[in-house]
Amino acid sequence: MKPRISVITLGVDDLERSLHFYQIGLGLPTQGIVGREFEHGAVAFFDLQSGLKLAIWNRKDIAHDTNMNQTGKRTTEFTIGHNVGSKEEVDMVMKQAESAGAVITVQAHETFWGGYSGYFQDPDGHLWEVVWNPAWEFTE
């Protein structure tokens, strides 16, 4: 398999609420909700870095599409890491997320491995880590 992941889809309970959180609260670019004309088709895509998209889709529609039973939320199954260029940027993004309605689960702090990070949950409980890693450089 070639490493070609292009979309990360998060199951949400309220598509409009999650759209507002990511678009207005966090400032992620999107065309808004598309696919409303199809049963189980309403979804929103957000442009991330080069060719990667974040999608939000109703949990019930994911269950339908995958022919699986909808399960309860499991907030510690995975995290989404948002890497930034400085400690100050970690603090800024954490404040922005909190202002947008995120629940801060771990305040930004010095890590045991020499970085700086904090965690928040989006309105559906998905965990995001905002992190600065001194060993990683970004060229944008």
Side-chain angles (χ1 to χ4, degrees), residues 34-83:
V34 298
R36 291 181 198 259
E37 68 273 24
F38 305 107
E39 184 178 12
H40 306 291
V43 63
F45 296 98
F46 302 89
D47 295 321
L48 304 178
Q49 71 268 16
S50 182
L52 182 60
K53 293 190 181 296
L54 174 70
I56 53 173
W57 196 15
N58 281 312
R59 292 178 197 273
K60 65 179 177 55
D61 297 330
I62 292 173
H64 174 82
D65 200 53
T66 60
N67 198 30
M68 298 184 73
N69 292 327
Q70 185 173 339
T71 60
K73 296 178 186 179
R74 297 183 176 166
T75 58
T76 57
E77 292 295 317
F78 72 96
T79 65
I80 299 170
H82 177 64
N83 288 274

Side-chain angles (χ1 to χ4, degrees), residues 109-117 119 129 132 134:
H109 66 283
E110 302 284 340
T111 64
F112 69 91
W113 48 267
Y116 188 76
S117 76
Y119 284 92
E129 180 184 23
W132 169 73

Side-chain angles (χ1 to χ4, degrees), residues 2 16 26-27 31 34 37 39 44-45 54 64 70 79 85 89-90 93 96 101-102 107 111 117 120 122 124 130:
K2 292 185 179 185
E16 293 286 344
L26 296 185
Q31 297 297 313
V34 298
E37 68 273 24
E39 184 178 12
F45 296 98
L54 174 70
H64 174 82
Q70 185 173 339
T79 65
E89 194 173 354
V90 170
V93 172
Q96 181 180 10
Q107 292 292 334
T111 64
S117 76
F120 71 82
D122 74 3
D124 289 279
V130 182

